[in-house]
Amino acid sequence: MANFYCEYCGTKAASVSALTINSCMRHPLGSNKGKHKLYEGSEKVKYTCKYCGTSASTIAALTINSCTRHPDGSNKGKHAPAI
Ligand SMILES: [Zn+2]
Ligand SMILES: [Zn+2]
């Protein structure tokens, strides 16, 4: 069965509806200011930030840190996984 992940925080759910019903603690507008967002890429052994190329073994491990090349400014947002 497929797993669905949040692009912002890496939370895993069994369906898209189960994922997006809950607030995201790493939402870009602020903690719990919005819902989890579906990561539309496939499951990978390694996730790479689409802004700076930093990689991590899980989305959660990638998105916990700020990105020095974030489009809103250096360290103004978290790493974001490339699809
Ligand atoms: Zn989330
Ligand atoms: Zn980055």
Side-chain angles (χ1 to χ4, degrees):
M1 197 162 122
N3 292 315
F4 297 91
Y5 295 90
C6 174
E7 178 178 314
Y8 302 136
C9 69
T11 289
K12 183 168 84 172
S15 70
V16 176
S17 64
L19 180 71
T20 57
I21 199 170
N22 289 315
S23 298
C24 181
M25 72 293 271
R26 290 186 201 156
H27 195 276
L29 295 177
S31 189
N32 297 318
K33 291 278 171 62
K35 305 297 186 188
H36 294 301
K37 182 190 174 198
L38 175 67
Y39 171 67
E40 297 183 74
S42 55
E43 275 190 83
K44 297 175 174 62
V45 292
K46 190 176 81 167
Y47 295 89
T48 303
C49 175
K50 61 186 175 185
Y51 305 130
C52 70
T54 293
S55 60
S57 58
T58 63
I59 295 176
L62 183 69
T63 57
I64 198 167
N65 290 312
S66 298
C67 182
T68 54
R69 296 188 196 161
H70 194 276
D72 291 343
S74 188
N75 296 314
K76 292 279 171 61
K78 305 297 187 187
H79 296 302
I83 288 175

